[in-house]
Amino acid sequence: MDRDRVVRLTDEIYDRIEDPAWRIRAISHSHAVASLAALLARVRGLDAELAALCGQLHDLAAYERLSYDNHAALGAERAVQFLRELGEQDESVLCLVHSAILRHDDLGKTDGPMDEVLKDADLLDNAQLRAPEKLRPEEIKRLCRVFEELGIRQNPYGAGQATVPNSI
Ligand SMILES: [Fe+2]
Ligand SMILES: [Fe+2]
């Protein structure tokens, strides 16, 4: 699947969102998560282009409906439909995209490698908008793990430590 085409078409959808807060969030978050997912996929030896597709499409259903209600399940279906309409016929690709988007909010669980890439990428971007004290324990644990994996020693979410605190 041509990533540039997916980005162009999703950006066209996001550009039509009337509410400026939703519109800006849709574009910036989708691009950020796509880039972060590609980076994490490379680090983990996975398909970076596929990870970027998952990132670009993961909240499409939320942005089309302007609601996060059930957006992971709806988004998984929507992303598959979107990719099929663009001609994607590889069922293994569609299956990986569906699974990653379906599970992207299940931060307390460990799922498949591509599912985990999308969860981590989404969290990395979301966490930037929230005060560290507003993060849930499973989010801090996940962030600590990713920072450690990337060799980032100063973790802004874990009281200056890259390892998971004992209390979590
Ligand atoms: Fe989401
Ligand atoms: Fe998201």
Side-chain angles (χ1 to χ4, degrees), residues 75-104:
E77 297 297 324
R78 180 66 180 100
V80 167
Q81 177 203 26
F82 183 91
L83 291 173
R84 279 196 203 281
E85 284 172 6
L86 291 187
E88 181 60 65
Q89 295 179 333
D90 187 333
E91 290 300 321
S92 66
V93 166
L94 295 170
C95 194
L96 282 167
V97 171
H98 186 278
S99 176
I101 295 178
L102 178 66
R103 293 172 171 80
H104 81 269

PDB file of all heavy atoms in Angstrom, residues 75-104:
ATOM      1  N   GLY A  75     -12.862   1.827  14.501  1.00  0.00           N
ATOM      2  CA  GLY A  75     -11.716   2.250  13.711  1.00  0.00           C
ATOM      3  C   GLY A  75     -11.041   1.095  12.993  1.00  0.00           C
ATOM      4  O   GLY A  75     -10.520   1.261  11.878  1.00  0.00           O
ATOM      5  N   ALA A  76     -11.017  -0.061  13.635  1.00  0.00           N
ATOM      6  CA  ALA A  76     -10.422  -1.241  12.995  1.00  0.00           C
ATOM      7  C   ALA A  76     -11.199  -1.594  11.724  1.00  0.00           C
ATOM      8  O   ALA A  76     -10.605  -1.850  10.664  1.00  0.00           O
ATOM      9  CB  ALA A  76     -10.417  -2.409  13.980  1.00  0.00           C
ATOM     10  N   GLU A  77     -12.524  -1.593  11.837  1.00  0.00           N
ATOM     11  CA  GLU A  77     -13.366  -1.886  10.667  1.00  0.00           C
ATOM     12  C   GLU A  77     -13.197  -0.814   9.593  1.00  0.00           C
ATOM     13  O   GLU A  77     -13.098  -1.109   8.399  1.00  0.00           O
ATOM     14  CB  GLU A  77     -14.847  -1.955  11.086  1.00  0.00           C
ATOM     15  CG  GLU A  77     -15.182  -3.065  12.062  1.00  0.00           C
ATOM     16  CD  GLU A  77     -14.941  -4.447  11.471  1.00  0.00           C
ATOM     17  OE1 GLU A  77     -15.191  -4.622  10.267  1.00  0.00           O
ATOM     18  OE2 GLU A  77     -14.484  -5.341  12.206  1.00  0.00           O
ATOM     19  N   ARG A  78     -13.175   0.431  10.042  1.00  0.00           N
ATOM     20  CA  ARG A  78     -13.082   1.559   9.090  1.00  0.00           C
ATOM     21  C   ARG A  78     -11.751   1.540   8.338  1.00  0.00           C
ATOM     22  O   ARG A  78     -11.698   1.805   7.136  1.00  0.00           O
ATOM     23  CB  ARG A  78     -13.240   2.879   9.862  1.00  0.00           C
ATOM     24  CG  ARG A  78     -13.161   4.123   9.012  1.00  0.00           C
ATOM     25  CD  ARG A  78     -14.341   4.220   8.048  1.00  0.00           C
ATOM     26  NE  ARG A  78     -14.245   5.425   7.232  1.00  0.00           N
ATOM     27  CZ  ARG A  78     -13.786   5.436   5.965  1.00  0.00           C
ATOM     28  NH1 ARG A  78     -13.407   4.328   5.394  1.00  0.00           N
ATOM     29  NH2 ARG A  78     -13.744   6.563   5.286  1.00  0.00           N
ATOM     30  N   ALA A  79     -10.678   1.219   9.058  1.00  0.00           N
ATOM     31  CA  ALA A  79      -9.357   1.199   8.420  1.00  0.00           C
ATOM     32  C   ALA A  79      -9.285   0.103   7.357  1.00  0.00           C
ATOM     33  O   ALA A  79      -8.730   0.314   6.271  1.00  0.00           O
ATOM     34  CB  ALA A  79      -8.277   1.001   9.477  1.00  0.00           C
ATOM     35  N   VAL A  80      -9.848  -1.052   7.679  1.00  0.00           N
ATOM     36  CA  VAL A  80      -9.844  -2.152   6.701  1.00  0.00           C
ATOM     37  C   VAL A  80     -10.665  -1.762   5.473  1.00  0.00           C
ATOM     38  O   VAL A  80     -10.244  -1.970   4.325  1.00  0.00           O
ATOM     39  CB  VAL A  80     -10.373  -3.449   7.356  1.00  0.00           C
ATOM     40  CG1 VAL A  80     -10.672  -4.509   6.294  1.00  0.00           C
ATOM     41  CG2 VAL A  80      -9.350  -3.976   8.364  1.00  0.00           C
ATOM     42  N   GLN A  81     -11.835  -1.177   5.712  1.00  0.00           N
ATOM     43  CA  GLN A  81     -12.671  -0.721   4.594  1.00  0.00           C
ATOM     44  C   GLN A  81     -11.917   0.305   3.737  1.00  0.00           C
ATOM     45  O   GLN A  81     -11.902   0.228   2.505  1.00  0.00           O
ATOM     46  CB  GLN A  81     -13.963  -0.091   5.163  1.00  0.00           C
ATOM     47  CG  GLN A  81     -14.876   0.493   4.104  1.00  0.00           C
ATOM     48  CD  GLN A  81     -15.802   1.568   4.685  1.00  0.00           C
ATOM     49  OE1 GLN A  81     -15.495   2.224   5.680  1.00  0.00           O
ATOM     50  NE2 GLN A  81     -16.939   1.746   4.055  1.00  0.00           N
ATOM     51  N   PHE A  82     -11.264   1.240   4.412  1.00  0.00           N
ATOM     52  CA  PHE A  82     -10.497   2.303   3.741  1.00  0.00           C
ATOM     53  C   PHE A  82      -9.412   1.697   2.844  1.00  0.00           C
ATOM     54  O   PHE A  82      -9.261   2.070   1.676  1.00  0.00           O
ATOM     55  CB  PHE A  82      -9.888   3.207   4.813  1.00  0.00           C
ATOM     56  CG  PHE A  82      -9.125   4.392   4.304  1.00  0.00           C
ATOM     57  CD1 PHE A  82      -9.750   5.615   4.103  1.00  0.00           C
ATOM     58  CD2 PHE A  82      -7.770   4.293   4.033  1.00  0.00           C
ATOM     59  CE1 PHE A  82      -9.042   6.715   3.645  1.00  0.00           C
ATOM     60  CE2 PHE A  82      -7.049   5.385   3.573  1.00  0.00           C
ATOM     61  CZ  PHE A  82      -7.693   6.595   3.376  1.00  0.00           C
ATOM     62  N   LEU A  83      -8.658   0.748   3.409  1.00  0.00           N
ATOM     63  CA  LEU A  83      -7.562   0.138   2.653  1.00  0.00           C
ATOM     64  C   LEU A  83      -8.081  -0.737   1.511  1.00  0.00           C
ATOM     65  O   LEU A  83      -7.490  -0.769   0.433  1.00  0.00           O
ATOM     66  CB  LEU A  83      -6.660  -0.669   3.591  1.00  0.00           C
ATOM     67  CG  LEU A  83      -5.850   0.174   4.582  1.00  0.00           C
ATOM     68  CD1 LEU A  83      -5.128  -0.723   5.581  1.00  0.00           C
ATOM     69  CD2 LEU A  83      -4.844   1.067   3.852  1.00  0.00           C
ATOM     70  N   ARG A  84      -9.201  -1.446   1.748  1.00  0.00           N
ATOM     71  CA  ARG A  84      -9.790  -2.255   0.666  1.00  0.00           C
ATOM     72  C   ARG A  84     -10.207  -1.351  -0.494  1.00  0.00           C
ATOM     73  O   ARG A  84     -10.012  -1.686  -1.662  1.00  0.00           O
ATOM     74  CB  ARG A  84     -11.013  -3.017   1.179  1.00  0.00           C
ATOM     75  CG  ARG A  84     -10.704  -4.289   1.923  1.00  0.00           C
ATOM     76  CD  ARG A  84     -11.968  -5.155   2.031  1.00  0.00           C
ATOM     77  NE  ARG A  84     -11.896  -6.080   3.139  1.00  0.00           N
ATOM     78  CZ  ARG A  84     -11.213  -7.229   3.135  1.00  0.00           C
ATOM     79  NH1 ARG A  84     -10.534  -7.565   2.068  1.00  0.00           N
ATOM     80  NH2 ARG A  84     -11.213  -8.007   4.191  1.00  0.00           N
ATOM     81  N   GLU A  85     -10.804  -0.205  -0.161  1.00  0.00           N
ATOM     82  CA  GLU A  85     -11.246   0.723  -1.213  1.00  0.00           C
ATOM     83  C   GLU A  85     -10.059   1.255  -2.021  1.00  0.00           C
ATOM     84  O   GLU A  85     -10.212   1.632  -3.175  1.00  0.00           O
ATOM     85  CB  GLU A  85     -12.033   1.887  -0.595  1.00  0.00           C
ATOM     86  CG  GLU A  85     -13.433   1.487  -0.182  1.00  0.00           C
ATOM     87  CD  GLU A  85     -14.174   2.556   0.619  1.00  0.00           C
ATOM     88  OE1 GLU A  85     -13.637   3.677   0.776  1.00  0.00           O
ATOM     89  OE2 GLU A  85     -15.273   2.266   1.106  1.00  0.00           O
ATOM     90  N   LEU A  86      -8.891   1.295  -1.388  1.00  0.00           N
ATOM     91  CA  LEU A  86      -7.681   1.729  -2.102  1.00  0.00           C
ATOM     92  C   LEU A  86      -7.012   0.578  -2.853  1.00  0.00           C
ATOM     93  O   LEU A  86      -5.954   0.758  -3.441  1.00  0.00           O
ATOM     94  CB  LEU A  86      -6.675   2.337  -1.118  1.00  0.00           C
ATOM     95  CG  LEU A  86      -7.052   3.683  -0.496  1.00  0.00           C
ATOM     96  CD1 LEU A  86      -5.895   4.226   0.306  1.00  0.00           C
ATOM     97  CD2 LEU A  86      -7.448   4.676  -1.575  1.00  0.00           C
ATOM     98  N   GLY A  87      -7.612  -0.601  -2.759  1.00  0.00           N
ATOM     99  CA  GLY A  87      -7.098  -1.719  -3.532  1.00  0.00           C
ATOM    100  C   GLY A  87      -6.265  -2.722  -2.753  1.00  0.00           C
ATOM    101  O   GLY A  87      -5.715  -3.650  -3.343  1.00  0.00           O
ATOM    102  N   GLU A  88      -6.142  -2.537  -1.451  1.00  0.00           N
ATOM    103  CA  GLU A  88      -5.362  -3.498  -0.671  1.00  0.00           C
ATOM    104  C   GLU A  88      -6.091  -4.835  -0.624  1.00  0.00           C
ATOM    105  O   GLU A  88      -7.246  -4.899  -0.213  1.00  0.00           O
ATOM    106  CB  GLU A  88      -5.143  -2.961   0.757  1.00  0.00           C
ATOM    107  CG  GLU A  88      -4.323  -3.880   1.651  1.00  0.00           C
ATOM    108  CD  GLU A  88      -2.924  -4.135   1.098  1.00  0.00           C
ATOM    109  OE1 GLU A  88      -2.143  -3.189   1.023  1.00  0.00           O
ATOM    110  OE2 GLU A  88      -2.638  -5.295   0.724  1.00  0.00           O
ATOM    111  N   GLN A  89      -5.405  -5.882  -1.062  1.00  0.00           N
ATOM    112  CA  GLN A  89      -6.033  -7.206  -1.090  1.00  0.00           C
ATOM    113  C   GLN A  89      -5.297  -8.215  -0.220  1.00  0.00           C
ATOM    114  O   GLN A  89      -5.760  -9.343  -0.077  1.00  0.00           O
ATOM    115  CB  GLN A  89      -6.074  -7.720  -2.535  1.00  0.00           C
ATOM    116  CG  GLN A  89      -6.970  -6.870  -3.425  1.00  0.00           C
ATOM    117  CD  GLN A  89      -6.992  -7.371  -4.850  1.00  0.00           C
ATOM    118  OE1 GLN A  89      -6.039  -7.988  -5.324  1.00  0.00           O
ATOM    119  NE2 GLN A  89      -8.082  -7.096  -5.549  1.00  0.00           N
ATOM    120  N   ASP A  90      -4.173  -7.824   0.315  1.00  0.00           N
ATOM    121  CA  ASP A  90      -3.369  -8.747   1.125  1.00  0.00           C
ATOM    122  C   ASP A  90      -4.044  -8.914   2.499  1.00  0.00           C
ATOM    123  O   ASP A  90      -4.024  -8.000   3.327  1.00  0.00           O
ATOM    124  CB  ASP A  90      -1.957  -8.186   1.277  1.00  0.00           C
ATOM    125  CG  ASP A  90      -1.008  -9.169   1.977  1.00  0.00           C
ATOM    126  OD1 ASP A  90      -1.489 -10.005   2.763  1.00  0.00           O
ATOM    127  OD2 ASP A  90       0.199  -9.079   1.731  1.00  0.00           O
ATOM    128  N   GLU A  91      -4.642 -10.082   2.683  1.00  0.00           N
ATOM    129  CA  GLU A  91      -5.405 -10.299   3.918  1.00  0.00           C
ATOM    130  C   GLU A  91      -4.521 -10.256   5.160  1.00  0.00           C
ATOM    131  O   GLU A  91      -4.983  -9.893   6.240  1.00  0.00           O
ATOM    132  CB  GLU A  91      -6.162 -11.632   3.847  1.00  0.00           C
ATOM    133  CG  GLU A  91      -7.303 -11.644   2.856  1.00  0.00           C
ATOM    134  CD  GLU A  91      -8.390 -10.600   3.131  1.00  0.00           C
ATOM    135  OE1 GLU A  91      -8.706 -10.378   4.312  1.00  0.00           O
ATOM    136  OE2 GLU A  91      -8.900 -10.016   2.160  1.00  0.00           O
ATOM    137  N   SER A  92      -3.248 -10.618   5.017  1.00  0.00           N
ATOM    138  CA  SER A  92      -2.367 -10.581   6.191  1.00  0.00           C
ATOM    139  C   SER A  92      -2.106  -9.133   6.620  1.00  0.00           C
ATOM    140  O   SER A  92      -2.035  -8.827   7.808  1.00  0.00           O
ATOM    141  CB  SER A  92      -1.052 -11.312   5.908  1.00  0.00           C
ATOM    142  OG  SER A  92      -0.308 -10.643   4.928  1.00  0.00           O
ATOM    143  N   VAL A  93      -1.990  -8.236   5.645  1.00  0.00           N
ATOM    144  CA  VAL A  93      -1.837  -6.806   5.952  1.00  0.00           C
ATOM    145  C   VAL A  93      -3.100  -6.278   6.619  1.00  0.00           C
ATOM    146  O   VAL A  93      -3.049  -5.609   7.663  1.00  0.00           O
ATOM    147  CB  VAL A  93      -1.536  -5.997   4.655  1.00  0.00           C
ATOM    148  CG1 VAL A  93      -1.709  -4.499   4.896  1.00  0.00           C
ATOM    149  CG2 VAL A  93      -0.125  -6.300   4.164  1.00  0.00           C
ATOM    150  N   LEU A  94      -4.242  -6.593   6.033  1.00  0.00           N
ATOM    151  CA  LEU A  94      -5.524  -6.108   6.578  1.00  0.00           C
ATOM    152  C   LEU A  94      -5.750  -6.641   7.985  1.00  0.00           C
ATOM    153  O   LEU A  94      -6.253  -5.928   8.863  1.00  0.00           O
ATOM    154  CB  LEU A  94      -6.664  -6.519   5.644  1.00  0.00           C
ATOM    155  CG  LEU A  94      -6.620  -5.875   4.251  1.00  0.00           C
ATOM    156  CD1 LEU A  94      -7.645  -6.517   3.330  1.00  0.00           C
ATOM    157  CD2 LEU A  94      -6.853  -4.368   4.335  1.00  0.00           C
ATOM    158  N   CYS A  95      -5.336  -7.881   8.196  1.00  0.00           N
ATOM    159  CA  CYS A  95      -5.512  -8.518   9.502  1.00  0.00           C
ATOM    160  C   CYS A  95      -4.639  -7.827  10.558  1.00  0.00           C
ATOM    161  O   CYS A  95      -5.085  -7.565  11.683  1.00  0.00           O
ATOM    162  CB  CYS A  95      -5.137  -9.986   9.357  1.00  0.00           C
ATOM    163  SG  CYS A  95      -5.648 -10.973  10.720  1.00  0.00           S
ATOM    164  N   LEU A  96      -3.392  -7.511  10.190  1.00  0.00           N
ATOM    165  CA  LEU A  96      -2.484  -6.839  11.140  1.00  0.00           C
ATOM    166  C   LEU A  96      -2.987  -5.436  11.475  1.00  0.00           C
ATOM    167  O   LEU A  96      -2.949  -5.004  12.636  1.00  0.00           O
ATOM    168  CB  LEU A  96      -1.070  -6.764  10.553  1.00  0.00           C
ATOM    169  CG  LEU A  96      -0.257  -8.055  10.630  1.00  0.00           C
ATOM    170  CD1 LEU A  96       0.984  -7.956   9.755  1.00  0.00           C
ATOM    171  CD2 LEU A  96       0.143  -8.362  12.070  1.00  0.00           C
ATOM    172  N   VAL A  97      -3.451  -4.707  10.462  1.00  0.00           N
ATOM    173  CA  VAL A  97      -3.974  -3.351  10.687  1.00  0.00           C
ATOM    174  C   VAL A  97      -5.210  -3.418  11.584  1.00  0.00           C
ATOM    175  O   VAL A  97      -5.342  -2.652  12.547  1.00  0.00           O
ATOM    176  CB  VAL A  97      -4.307  -2.663   9.335  1.00  0.00           C
ATOM    177  CG1 VAL A  97      -5.059  -1.359   9.569  1.00  0.00           C
ATOM    178  CG2 VAL A  97      -3.038  -2.413   8.533  1.00  0.00           C
ATOM    179  N   HIS A  98      -6.094  -4.346  11.274  1.00  0.00           N
ATOM    180  CA  HIS A  98      -7.331  -4.499  12.057  1.00  0.00           C
ATOM    181  C   HIS A  98      -6.996  -4.799  13.516  1.00  0.00           C
ATOM    182  O   HIS A  98      -7.532  -4.188  14.439  1.00  0.00           O
ATOM    183  CB  HIS A  98      -8.187  -5.615  11.452  1.00  0.00           C
ATOM    184  CG  HIS A  98      -9.540  -5.745  12.094  1.00  0.00           C
ATOM    185  ND1 HIS A  98      -9.738  -6.445  13.274  1.00  0.00           N
ATOM    186  CD2 HIS A  98     -10.744  -5.229  11.761  1.00  0.00           C
ATOM    187  CE1 HIS A  98     -11.005  -6.373  13.610  1.00  0.00           C
ATOM    188  NE2 HIS A  98     -11.643  -5.640  12.720  1.00  0.00           N
ATOM    189  N   SER A  99      -6.103  -5.732  13.733  1.00  0.00           N
ATOM    190  CA  SER A  99      -5.754  -6.140  15.087  1.00  0.00           C
ATOM    191  C   SER A  99      -5.116  -4.984  15.872  1.00  0.00           C
ATOM    192  O   SER A  99      -5.471  -4.730  17.027  1.00  0.00           O
ATOM    193  CB  SER A  99      -4.777  -7.324  15.024  1.00  0.00           C
ATOM    194  OG  SER A  99      -4.357  -7.684  16.318  1.00  0.00           O
ATOM    195  N   ALA A 100      -4.176  -4.290  15.237  1.00  0.00           N
ATOM    196  CA  ALA A 100      -3.473  -3.205  15.939  1.00  0.00           C
ATOM    197  C   ALA A 100      -4.441  -2.094  16.339  1.00  0.00           C
ATOM    198  O   ALA A 100      -4.379  -1.581  17.468  1.00  0.00           O
ATOM    199  CB  ALA A 100      -2.353  -2.659  15.056  1.00  0.00           C
ATOM    200  N   ILE A 101      -5.334  -1.724  15.423  1.00  0.00           N
ATOM    201  CA  ILE A 101      -6.259  -0.620  15.733  1.00  0.00           C
ATOM    202  C   ILE A 101      -7.307  -1.071  16.747  1.00  0.00           C
ATOM    203  O   ILE A 101      -7.645  -0.330  17.677  1.00  0.00           O
ATOM    204  CB  ILE A 101      -6.893  -0.072  14.435  1.00  0.00           C
ATOM    205  CG1 ILE A 101      -5.781   0.548  13.576  1.00  0.00           C
ATOM    206  CG2 ILE A 101      -7.982   0.954  14.750  1.00  0.00           C
ATOM    207  CD1 ILE A 101      -6.221   1.085  12.233  1.00  0.00           C
ATOM    208  N   LEU A 102      -7.776  -2.294  16.608  1.00  0.00           N
ATOM    209  CA  LEU A 102      -8.755  -2.829  17.564  1.00  0.00           C
ATOM    210  C   LEU A 102      -8.219  -2.795  18.992  1.00  0.00           C
ATOM    211  O   LEU A 102      -8.952  -2.501  19.936  1.00  0.00           O
ATOM    212  CB  LEU A 102      -9.107  -4.263  17.171  1.00  0.00           C
ATOM    213  CG  LEU A 102     -10.079  -5.007  18.091  1.00  0.00           C
ATOM    214  CD1 LEU A 102     -11.466  -4.359  18.040  1.00  0.00           C
ATOM    215  CD2 LEU A 102     -10.166  -6.478  17.683  1.00  0.00           C
ATOM    216  N   ARG A 103      -6.926  -3.089  19.154  1.00  0.00           N
ATOM    217  CA  ARG A 103      -6.352  -3.248  20.495  1.00  0.00           C
ATOM    218  C   ARG A 103      -5.594  -2.011  20.989  1.00  0.00           C
ATOM    219  O   ARG A 103      -4.999  -2.057  22.054  1.00  0.00           O
ATOM    220  CB  ARG A 103      -5.391  -4.447  20.491  1.00  0.00           C
ATOM    221  CG  ARG A 103      -6.105  -5.754  20.280  1.00  0.00           C
ATOM    222  CD  ARG A 103      -5.159  -6.928  20.078  1.00  0.00           C
ATOM    223  NE  ARG A 103      -5.910  -8.175  20.090  1.00  0.00           N
ATOM    224  CZ  ARG A 103      -6.597  -8.651  19.048  1.00  0.00           C
ATOM    225  NH1 ARG A 103      -6.606  -7.999  17.914  1.00  0.00           N
ATOM    226  NH2 ARG A 103      -7.281  -9.784  19.149  1.00  0.00           N
ATOM    227  N   HIS A 104      -5.630  -0.902  20.236  1.00  0.00           N
ATOM    228  CA  HIS A 104      -4.680   0.163  20.554  1.00  0.00           C
ATOM    229  C   HIS A 104      -4.932   0.867  21.884  1.00  0.00           C
ATOM    230  O   HIS A 104      -4.052   1.577  22.377  1.00  0.00           O
ATOM    231  CB  HIS A 104      -4.535   1.165  19.397  1.00  0.00           C
ATOM    232  CG  HIS A 104      -5.592   2.221  19.272  1.00  0.00           C
ATOM    233  ND1 HIS A 104      -6.731   2.059  18.518  1.00  0.00           N
ATOM    234  CD2 HIS A 104      -5.669   3.472  19.783  1.00  0.00           C
ATOM    235  CE1 HIS A 104      -7.455   3.159  18.564  1.00  0.00           C
ATOM    236  NE2 HIS A 104      -6.844   4.044  19.327  1.00  0.00           N
TER     237      HIS A 104
END
